[in-house]
Amino acid sequence: MWFAKSREEVLQELNVNPATGLSAEEAKARLEKHGANKLKGKPKKSLISLFFAQLQDMLIYVLLAAAVITVLIGEYVDAIIILLVVLLNAVIGVFQESKAEKAIEALQKMTAPKTLVRRDGEVREISSEEIVPGDIVIVDAGRYIPADLRLLVTANLQIEESALTGESVPTEKNADDVHEDSHTPIGDQSNMAFMSTLATYGRGEGIVVATAMETEIGKIAQVLDEDIEEMTPLQKRLEELGKTLGFIAIGICALIFIIAFFQKRDLFEIFLTAISLAVAAIPEGLPAIVAIVLALGVTRMSKSNAIVKKLPAVETLGSVNIICSDKTGTLTQNKMTVIKFYTMNNLKSVPTEGTGFTPEPDERELIKSFVLCSDATYENGEGTGDPTEVALVALGEKYNLSRKKLHATYQRVGEKPFDSDRKLMSTLNQVEKGYRVHTKGAIDNILKISKYALVNGAVVPLTEELKANYLRIAEEMSDNALRILGVAYKDVDNLIGPDEMEQDLTVIGLVGMIDPPRLEVKDSIATAKRAGITPVMITGDHKNTAVAIAKELGIASSMEQSITGAEIDELAEEELTKRINNYRVFARVSPEHKVKIVKAYQAQGNIVSMTGDGVNDAPSLKNADIGVAMGITGTDVAKGASDMILTDDNFTTIVHAIEEGRNIYNNIKKSVVFLLSCNLGEVVAVFASVLFFWPVPLLPTQILWINLITDTLPAIALGVDPGDKDVMKKKPRNPKESFFAGGTAWRAVLGGMLIGVVTLAAFYYGLQEFGYQLGSKDIPEDVLTHGRTMAFVVLAVSQLFYSLSMRHSTKSIAQIGLFSNKYLVGAIIIGFILQLAVTSLPFLANAFSLQMLSARDWGLAVMFALLPLVINEIVKSTGRSQEKGSQN
Ligand code: ADP
Ligand code: MG
């Protein structure tokens, strides 16, 4: 019962000094004893179960039935081939799926929460899994509680415990409480914090009393894995398409069967042909291909600092046309430096070099208050904590007002933490007689809660004139892109609570700090605009500061393109929606405004990406089409609510991710069109020959071979095609647009027709070499075999070649480079070798009823096989010249 014990008892029992924490060795020993701090998740799917899952497919049942029938009829070789194909298909499926799963798992690892602990006297961030009992954990707003803690220190700490209690209103915590009653319910244990709950406000420190399955949540929950395996909209649509095409295929096969019946063909043979054709025509591989292309794509994205948490986000990325971005840290470097400060009638520039300057009396008060009201540290040129505060503490160092000394002299006894709604932060510090409140924050808000001003050492009433004076200086500074922070104080006799701090203050003055834009952002903004995407700045900062930086970066061109949170509040929802497309800068906004902004953009039909880092940003991240959380400065809450995390907090990464998203979508399209063309080619060849009373050019096993073996590799290779360098010169894809829009369906049909026709032509040519026609009666078996071998080789090789043409819908092979996708080149070479092997190795050739071809026949086959590719390239080039013509 940790909640019934005093701090000292708990510390003694767990044997740790809270000022230094555990030593590294001790932590290691305890980790060995207690094991990693993680809840047991769902057991992983084994390879065997994945394998059997592959077999549960309508198509496979059909094939297995066909195998049984072939056995009954005594065609053992065919039966074995069918079974082998089923087996191979399942193996390929397992391979794809486990590869996709591994990629997703690796991403999940990257987003696993981290924890601040004190070890060896230092605070450091470690993986939450390494937490052990006795660790001293630092808790602040926005972080998940990594284990069960007995709290040692609390400063307005509030924790949302719905994961455990179902109660979504945060509970206030107090480390000083001790609950004697051993039946105190979890929700009332105010001196405890529990694993998987969430700090929403304030900060604190606690000692770990239980980890992993020993925790309260561990005791009740066995399975907590978040399911991120949801299907993307595209996958769902393709699955539907697959079903439709499946029915059509079955219809065609039934038709073939009926026609053949009346033609008095060998019914058994035509039965197998129909089944094989069904297998060929049903695009059962589509969802698997899409899954692997998505998985490979998100892995690639994670290497360039964008971690996709939800797969559907990849597709949505390609449609984004508004990027709402935080200013500080995303568009700027978040490296703040104070360069100016102002006390009444006294504007000073801070020298860039040197230390040991002596401030005037008013200036001394200004800097002192700023430093005392900051949590950041700055030592030997290194700062930790909020960059805004680092700049203030660094300013103190320059003026002989070091944080260490000040904090030791004027102990902090109370505080009201910063939040982005108030845009203020206050602390209560001990002074010689009584206490002093120090409040810093947005200058407009500081002036609102102040009654007096410090002018030349005297406290005078804050007149409208004085207010206007401060605001004018603030305006001037912010026009030069400086971030402004004001500061005020008041003396009180007694300890007061947070609610009484921010009133009746005395303004001291303000500082202006620079935060240079990120160098690479300007280019990315130009790229985004070229790609039909509007970048928009969202900030809690002053309007003038924001617009100045927005102009510098090319986001906005005039003040009219900006609006403040207060102005948004004045507007009715419809009014905001009507005007929203005119704005580029939203200044002095609070998190709730971000939700309004997202909704207004969406109401105008935009696809919006929105960045966020704080606890209160979760709603806007969830509302946005793509919620983007900051990886470095972001809270666990923001990350949890997001679709994508930027590991470098950089705007440029968002633009890169959109580019990747577009490329991935295009690649999926290439694979799908390729597979459909191939399937259609097979259907055309067989269906036409049945219709015209010709012998069937392909045997069932041959169709299976091509469909399941030769096609797979090029389809995957198309899925990892290197990105098109012009992809960011196009407009975003309309999310409502059909997958087959823009001539995609036509290309699939054209490809299928071409492949089907050359296959038939090769078959005809093969027969003709021995003096027979398609319509001849009683063609000898070996002539048929020769013709079929020609058809078989041409079908496979034309598909391989055709894949090259699929790489771009308008650009020629020469324009994109014949060898620029080395996977595809490899896939084509392997495909060739497979075709050579199956026709040349006697046992394979026999099994598939094929013949060895002469060099001359191979040459001719290659010529035939090149035709679909060549014709498609010609079609593309006429399209290109038309496009050019229409542009002129
Ligand atoms: P952004 O991240 O868009 O710049 P913030 O929410 O961080 O916006 O800041 C908004 C305003 O809040 C700032 O302009 C500043 O006036 C004030 N502010 C920021 N950080 C602090 C802080 N640590 N303490 C007090 N006030 C702050
Ligand atoms: Mg900020």
Side-chain angles (χ1 to χ4, degrees), residues 757-800:
V757 168
V758 295
T759 303
L760 280 174
F763 183 50
Y764 173 75
Y765 181 83
L767 299 182
Q768 226 229 357
E769 279 180 293
F770 292 89
Y772 290 90
Q773 307 285 322
L774 280 171
S776 308
K777 298 240 152 31
D778 301 322
I779 305 173
E781 198 55 36
D782 57 336
V783 174
L784 265 182
T785 302
H786 178 73
R788 282 183 177 141
T789 307
M790 285 297 282
F792 173 74
V793 168
V794 167
L795 176 61
V797 175
S798 64
Q799 293 179 351
L800 293 176

Short mmCIF file of all heavy atoms in Angstrom, two decimals, residues 757-800:
data_model
loop_
_atom_site.label_atom_id
_atom_site.label_comp_id
_atom_site.label_asym_id
_atom_site.label_seq_id
_atom_site.Cartn_x
_atom_site.Cartn_y
_atom_site.Cartn_z
N VAL A 757 -3.21 -9.81 -77.90
CA VAL A 757 -3.09 -9.96 -79.36
C VAL A 757 -1.71 -10.50 -79.75
O VAL A 757 -1.60 -11.41 -80.58
CB VAL A 757 -3.39 -8.61 -80.06
CG1 VAL A 757 -3.00 -8.69 -81.54
CG2 VAL A 757 -4.87 -8.28 -79.93
N VAL A 758 -0.64 -9.98 -79.15
CA VAL A 758 0.68 -10.51 -79.55
C VAL A 758 0.82 -11.97 -79.14
O VAL A 758 1.51 -12.75 -79.80
CB VAL A 758 1.88 -9.70 -79.01
CG1 VAL A 758 1.91 -8.31 -79.59
CG2 VAL A 758 1.96 -9.69 -77.51
N THR A 759 0.18 -12.35 -78.04
CA THR A 759 0.24 -13.75 -77.62
C THR A 759 -0.40 -14.64 -78.69
O THR A 759 0.16 -15.67 -79.09
CB THR A 759 -0.46 -13.92 -76.27
OG1 THR A 759 0.14 -13.06 -75.32
CG2 THR A 759 -0.36 -15.36 -75.79
N LEU A 760 -1.57 -14.22 -79.14
CA LEU A 760 -2.25 -14.98 -80.20
C LEU A 760 -1.42 -15.00 -81.48
O LEU A 760 -1.30 -16.03 -82.16
CB LEU A 760 -3.62 -14.36 -80.48
CG LEU A 760 -4.72 -14.75 -79.49
CD1 LEU A 760 -5.98 -13.97 -79.77
CD2 LEU A 760 -4.98 -16.26 -79.56
N ALA A 761 -0.84 -13.84 -81.79
CA ALA A 761 -0.02 -13.76 -83.00
C ALA A 761 1.15 -14.72 -82.92
O ALA A 761 1.49 -15.41 -83.89
CB ALA A 761 0.48 -12.32 -83.19
N ALA A 762 1.78 -14.78 -81.75
CA ALA A 762 2.92 -15.69 -81.60
C ALA A 762 2.47 -17.14 -81.75
O ALA A 762 3.16 -17.97 -82.35
CB ALA A 762 3.56 -15.48 -80.22
N PHE A 763 1.30 -17.42 -81.21
CA PHE A 763 0.76 -18.77 -81.32
C PHE A 763 0.53 -19.12 -82.80
O PHE A 763 0.97 -20.16 -83.30
CB PHE A 763 -0.56 -18.80 -80.55
CG PHE A 763 -1.21 -20.15 -80.50
CD1 PHE A 763 -0.50 -21.29 -80.11
CD2 PHE A 763 -2.57 -20.29 -80.82
CE1 PHE A 763 -1.11 -22.53 -80.06
CE2 PHE A 763 -3.18 -21.54 -80.76
CZ PHE A 763 -2.45 -22.65 -80.39
N TYR A 764 -0.09 -18.20 -83.48
CA TYR A 764 -0.35 -18.38 -84.90
C TYR A 764 0.95 -18.59 -85.66
O TYR A 764 1.09 -19.51 -86.46
CB TYR A 764 -1.08 -17.14 -85.43
CG TYR A 764 -1.27 -17.13 -86.92
CD1 TYR A 764 -2.24 -17.94 -87.52
CD2 TYR A 764 -0.47 -16.33 -87.73
CE1 TYR A 764 -2.40 -17.95 -88.88
CE2 TYR A 764 -0.64 -16.33 -89.10
CZ TYR A 764 -1.60 -17.14 -89.67
OH TYR A 764 -1.77 -17.15 -91.02
N TYR A 765 1.92 -17.76 -85.34
CA TYR A 765 3.20 -17.87 -86.03
C TYR A 765 3.84 -19.23 -85.76
O TYR A 765 4.37 -19.88 -86.67
CB TYR A 765 4.13 -16.75 -85.57
CG TYR A 765 5.45 -16.80 -86.27
CD1 TYR A 765 5.60 -16.24 -87.54
CD2 TYR A 765 6.54 -17.46 -85.69
CE1 TYR A 765 6.79 -16.33 -88.21
CE2 TYR A 765 7.74 -17.55 -86.35
CZ TYR A 765 7.87 -16.98 -87.61
OH TYR A 765 9.04 -17.07 -88.28
N GLY A 766 3.75 -19.68 -84.52
CA GLY A 766 4.33 -20.98 -84.15
C GLY A 766 3.72 -22.12 -84.93
O GLY A 766 4.40 -23.06 -85.35
N LEU A 767 2.40 -22.05 -85.14
CA LEU A 767 1.74 -23.10 -85.91
C LEU A 767 2.13 -23.01 -87.37
O LEU A 767 2.37 -24.02 -88.04
CB LEU A 767 0.22 -22.96 -85.79
CG LEU A 767 -0.39 -23.08 -84.40
CD1 LEU A 767 -1.92 -22.98 -84.48
CD2 LEU A 767 0.00 -24.41 -83.75
N GLN A 768 2.21 -21.79 -87.83
CA GLN A 768 2.47 -21.53 -89.23
C GLN A 768 3.83 -22.03 -89.67
O GLN A 768 4.02 -22.45 -90.80
CB GLN A 768 2.34 -20.04 -89.49
CG GLN A 768 1.54 -19.71 -90.72
CD GLN A 768 2.30 -18.72 -91.56
OE1 GLN A 768 3.37 -18.28 -91.15
NE2 GLN A 768 1.77 -18.40 -92.72
N GLU A 769 4.78 -21.98 -88.72
CA GLU A 769 6.13 -22.46 -89.03
C GLU A 769 6.08 -23.91 -89.54
O GLU A 769 6.94 -24.35 -90.26
CB GLU A 769 7.02 -22.39 -87.78
CG GLU A 769 7.59 -21.00 -87.51
CD GLU A 769 8.46 -20.98 -86.28
OE1 GLU A 769 7.91 -21.17 -85.17
OE2 GLU A 769 9.68 -20.81 -86.41
N PHE A 770 5.03 -24.66 -89.06
CA PHE A 770 4.90 -26.04 -89.50
C PHE A 770 3.77 -26.20 -90.51
O PHE A 770 3.28 -27.30 -90.75
CB PHE A 770 4.66 -26.95 -88.30
CG PHE A 770 5.86 -27.04 -87.41
CD1 PHE A 770 6.03 -26.13 -86.38
CD2 PHE A 770 6.83 -28.01 -87.63
CE1 PHE A 770 7.14 -26.20 -85.58
CE2 PHE A 770 7.94 -28.08 -86.82
CZ PHE A 770 8.11 -27.18 -85.79
N GLY A 771 3.33 -25.08 -91.08
CA GLY A 771 2.35 -25.15 -92.15
C GLY A 771 0.91 -25.28 -91.70
O GLY A 771 0.04 -25.65 -92.47
N TYR A 772 0.63 -25.02 -90.43
CA TYR A 772 -0.76 -25.09 -89.97
C TYR A 772 -1.30 -23.70 -89.71
O TYR A 772 -0.55 -22.74 -89.50
CB TYR A 772 -0.86 -25.94 -88.71
CG TYR A 772 -0.60 -27.40 -88.98
CD1 TYR A 772 0.69 -27.92 -88.89
CD2 TYR A 772 -1.67 -28.25 -89.30
CE1 TYR A 772 0.94 -29.25 -89.14
CE2 TYR A 772 -1.43 -29.59 -89.56
CZ TYR A 772 -0.13 -30.08 -89.48
OH TYR A 772 0.11 -31.39 -89.72
N GLN A 773 -2.64 -23.60 -89.77
CA GLN A 773 -3.32 -22.35 -89.46
C GLN A 773 -4.04 -22.50 -88.13
O GLN A 773 -4.20 -23.60 -87.62
CB GLN A 773 -4.37 -22.05 -90.54
CG GLN A 773 -3.86 -22.06 -91.94
CD GLN A 773 -3.05 -20.83 -92.26
OE1 GLN A 773 -3.39 -19.77 -91.81
NE2 GLN A 773 -1.97 -20.98 -93.00
N LEU A 774 -4.51 -21.34 -87.60
CA LEU A 774 -5.28 -21.40 -86.36
C LEU A 774 -6.53 -22.26 -86.53
O LEU A 774 -6.93 -23.00 -85.65
CB LEU A 774 -5.70 -19.99 -85.95
CG LEU A 774 -4.63 -19.18 -85.23
CD1 LEU A 774 -5.08 -17.74 -85.06
CD2 LEU A 774 -4.30 -19.80 -83.89
N GLY A 775 -7.10 -22.18 -87.75
CA GLY A 775 -8.34 -22.90 -87.96
C GLY A 775 -8.16 -24.33 -88.45
O GLY A 775 -9.13 -25.04 -88.67
N SER A 776 -6.91 -24.76 -88.67
CA SER A 776 -6.67 -26.10 -89.22
C SER A 776 -7.26 -27.18 -88.30
O SER A 776 -7.30 -27.03 -87.09
CB SER A 776 -5.16 -26.37 -89.36
OG SER A 776 -4.56 -25.33 -90.08
N LYS A 777 -7.69 -28.28 -88.96
CA LYS A 777 -8.17 -29.42 -88.17
C LYS A 777 -6.98 -30.34 -87.87
O LYS A 777 -5.99 -30.39 -88.61
CB LYS A 777 -9.22 -30.20 -88.99
CG LYS A 777 -10.45 -29.37 -89.31
CD LYS A 777 -11.70 -29.99 -88.72
CE LYS A 777 -12.78 -29.00 -88.39
NZ LYS A 777 -12.90 -27.81 -89.19
N ASP A 778 -7.09 -31.06 -86.76
CA ASP A 778 -6.11 -32.11 -86.42
C ASP A 778 -4.67 -31.64 -86.45
O ASP A 778 -3.83 -32.22 -87.13
CB ASP A 778 -6.27 -33.31 -87.38
CG ASP A 778 -7.68 -33.87 -87.28
OD1 ASP A 778 -8.21 -33.89 -86.13
OD2 ASP A 778 -8.24 -34.22 -88.33
N ILE A 779 -4.39 -30.60 -85.77
CA ILE A 779 -2.99 -30.15 -85.66
C ILE A 779 -2.27 -31.15 -84.76
O ILE A 779 -2.76 -31.47 -83.66
CB ILE A 779 -2.93 -28.74 -85.05
CG1 ILE A 779 -3.80 -27.77 -85.85
CG2 ILE A 779 -1.49 -28.26 -84.94
CD1 ILE A 779 -3.95 -26.41 -85.25
N PRO A 780 -1.12 -31.66 -85.20
CA PRO A 780 -0.41 -32.65 -84.37
C PRO A 780 -0.01 -32.05 -83.03
O PRO A 780 0.25 -30.84 -82.91
CB PRO A 780 0.85 -32.98 -85.18
CG PRO A 780 0.61 -32.42 -86.55
CD PRO A 780 -0.40 -31.35 -86.45
N GLU A 781 0.10 -32.91 -82.01
CA GLU A 781 0.36 -32.45 -80.64
C GLU A 781 1.65 -31.66 -80.54
O GLU A 781 1.70 -30.62 -79.87
CB GLU A 781 0.38 -33.67 -79.70
CG GLU A 781 0.21 -33.33 -78.24
CD GLU A 781 -1.06 -32.50 -77.95
OE1 GLU A 781 -2.14 -32.71 -78.59
OE2 GLU A 781 -0.97 -31.62 -77.08
N ASP A 782 2.74 -32.12 -81.21
CA ASP A 782 4.00 -31.41 -81.01
C ASP A 782 4.01 -30.05 -81.70
O ASP A 782 4.69 -29.13 -81.27
CB ASP A 782 5.21 -32.25 -81.43
CG ASP A 782 5.11 -32.70 -82.88
OD1 ASP A 782 3.95 -32.75 -83.39
OD2 ASP A 782 6.15 -32.99 -83.51
N VAL A 783 3.21 -29.91 -82.77
CA VAL A 783 3.09 -28.58 -83.40
C VAL A 783 2.36 -27.64 -82.45
O VAL A 783 2.76 -26.50 -82.23
CB VAL A 783 2.36 -28.67 -84.75
CG1 VAL A 783 2.12 -27.27 -85.32
CG2 VAL A 783 3.15 -29.53 -85.73
N LEU A 784 1.29 -28.18 -81.85
CA LEU A 784 0.56 -27.38 -80.86
C LEU A 784 1.48 -26.95 -79.73
O LEU A 784 1.48 -25.81 -79.28
CB LEU A 784 -0.59 -28.21 -80.29
CG LEU A 784 -1.96 -28.03 -80.93
CD1 LEU A 784 -3.00 -28.90 -80.21
CD2 LEU A 784 -2.39 -26.57 -80.93
N THR A 785 2.29 -27.92 -79.26
CA THR A 785 3.21 -27.61 -78.17
C THR A 785 4.16 -26.50 -78.59
O THR A 785 4.44 -25.59 -77.81
CB THR A 785 4.02 -28.86 -77.79
OG1 THR A 785 3.10 -29.86 -77.41
CG2 THR A 785 4.97 -28.57 -76.63
N HIS A 786 4.63 -26.56 -79.82
CA HIS A 786 5.53 -25.51 -80.30
C HIS A 786 4.82 -24.15 -80.30
O HIS A 786 5.33 -23.16 -79.79
CB HIS A 786 6.04 -25.83 -81.71
CG HIS A 786 6.93 -24.75 -82.26
ND1 HIS A 786 8.21 -24.56 -81.80
CD2 HIS A 786 6.71 -23.79 -83.18
CE1 HIS A 786 8.75 -23.52 -82.42
NE2 HIS A 786 7.86 -23.02 -83.28
N GLY A 787 3.61 -24.15 -80.86
CA GLY A 787 2.84 -22.90 -80.89
C GLY A 787 2.59 -22.37 -79.49
O GLY A 787 2.72 -21.18 -79.22
N ARG A 788 2.24 -23.28 -78.59
CA ARG A 788 1.96 -22.85 -77.22
C ARG A 788 3.20 -22.31 -76.55
O ARG A 788 3.14 -21.34 -75.79
CB ARG A 788 1.39 -24.03 -76.42
CG ARG A 788 -0.06 -24.26 -76.74
CD ARG A 788 -0.66 -25.38 -75.90
NE ARG A 788 -2.08 -25.47 -76.23
CZ ARG A 788 -2.73 -26.61 -76.35
NH1 ARG A 788 -2.11 -27.77 -76.14
NH2 ARG A 788 -4.01 -26.61 -76.66
N THR A 789 4.34 -22.96 -76.83
CA THR A 789 5.58 -22.46 -76.23
C THR A 789 5.84 -21.03 -76.69
O THR A 789 6.20 -20.17 -75.88
CB THR A 789 6.77 -23.36 -76.59
OG1 THR A 789 6.43 -24.70 -76.25
CG2 THR A 789 8.02 -22.95 -75.83
N MET A 790 5.64 -20.81 -78.00
CA MET A 790 5.82 -19.44 -78.50
C MET A 790 4.86 -18.48 -77.78
O MET A 790 5.26 -17.41 -77.31
CB MET A 790 5.53 -19.37 -80.01
CG MET A 790 6.63 -19.95 -80.89
SD MET A 790 8.18 -19.08 -80.77
CE MET A 790 7.85 -17.62 -81.77
N ALA A 791 3.59 -18.88 -77.68
CA ALA A 791 2.61 -18.02 -77.02
C ALA A 791 2.98 -17.78 -75.57
O ALA A 791 2.95 -16.65 -75.06
CB ALA A 791 1.22 -18.66 -77.11
N PHE A 792 3.39 -18.84 -74.92
CA PHE A 792 3.74 -18.77 -73.50
C PHE A 792 4.91 -17.81 -73.26
O PHE A 792 4.86 -16.93 -72.41
CB PHE A 792 4.10 -20.19 -73.04
CG PHE A 792 4.63 -20.31 -71.66
CD1 PHE A 792 3.78 -20.18 -70.56
CD2 PHE A 792 5.97 -20.56 -71.43
CE1 PHE A 792 4.27 -20.30 -69.27
CE2 PHE A 792 6.46 -20.69 -70.14
CZ PHE A 792 5.60 -20.56 -69.06
N VAL A 793 5.96 -17.99 -74.09
CA VAL A 793 7.14 -17.14 -73.93
C VAL A 793 6.78 -15.68 -74.24
O VAL A 793 7.13 -14.76 -73.50
CB VAL A 793 8.29 -17.62 -74.84
CG1 VAL A 793 9.40 -16.59 -74.89
CG2 VAL A 793 8.82 -18.95 -74.33
N VAL A 794 6.03 -15.48 -75.31
CA VAL A 794 5.69 -14.10 -75.69
C VAL A 794 4.79 -13.45 -74.65
O VAL A 794 4.98 -12.29 -74.28
CB VAL A 794 5.03 -14.07 -77.09
CG1 VAL A 794 4.39 -12.72 -77.35
CG2 VAL A 794 6.07 -14.39 -78.15
N LEU A 795 3.85 -14.22 -74.12
CA LEU A 795 2.98 -13.67 -73.09
C LEU A 795 3.81 -13.18 -71.91
O LEU A 795 3.70 -12.03 -71.46
CB LEU A 795 1.97 -14.71 -72.62
CG LEU A 795 1.05 -14.29 -71.47
CD1 LEU A 795 0.20 -13.11 -71.86
CD2 LEU A 795 0.15 -15.45 -71.03
N ALA A 796 4.68 -14.06 -71.42
CA ALA A 796 5.47 -13.69 -70.24
C ALA A 796 6.42 -12.54 -70.54
O ALA A 796 6.50 -11.57 -69.79
CB ALA A 796 6.26 -14.92 -69.75
N VAL A 797 7.15 -12.66 -71.65
CA VAL A 797 8.17 -11.65 -71.93
C VAL A 797 7.54 -10.31 -72.29
O VAL A 797 8.05 -9.26 -71.89
CB VAL A 797 9.12 -12.15 -73.04
CG1 VAL A 797 10.12 -11.07 -73.41
CG2 VAL A 797 9.85 -13.41 -72.59
N SER A 798 6.39 -10.33 -72.96
CA SER A 798 5.77 -9.05 -73.29
C SER A 798 5.32 -8.35 -72.01
O SER A 798 5.40 -7.13 -71.90
CB SER A 798 4.59 -9.23 -74.25
OG SER A 798 3.57 -9.97 -73.62
N GLN A 799 4.88 -9.13 -71.03
CA GLN A 799 4.51 -8.52 -69.75
C GLN A 799 5.72 -7.91 -69.08
O GLN A 799 5.67 -6.80 -68.54
CB GLN A 799 3.87 -9.56 -68.83
CG GLN A 799 2.53 -10.05 -69.35
CD GLN A 799 1.90 -11.10 -68.46
OE1 GLN A 799 2.53 -11.59 -67.53
NE2 GLN A 799 0.67 -11.44 -68.75
N LEU A 800 6.83 -8.65 -69.12
CA LEU A 800 8.06 -8.13 -68.49
C LEU A 800 8.44 -6.80 -69.14
O LEU A 800 8.71 -5.81 -68.45
CB LEU A 800 9.21 -9.13 -68.63
CG LEU A 800 9.06 -10.45 -67.87
CD1 LEU A 800 10.22 -11.39 -68.18
CD2 LEU A 800 8.96 -10.21 -66.38
#
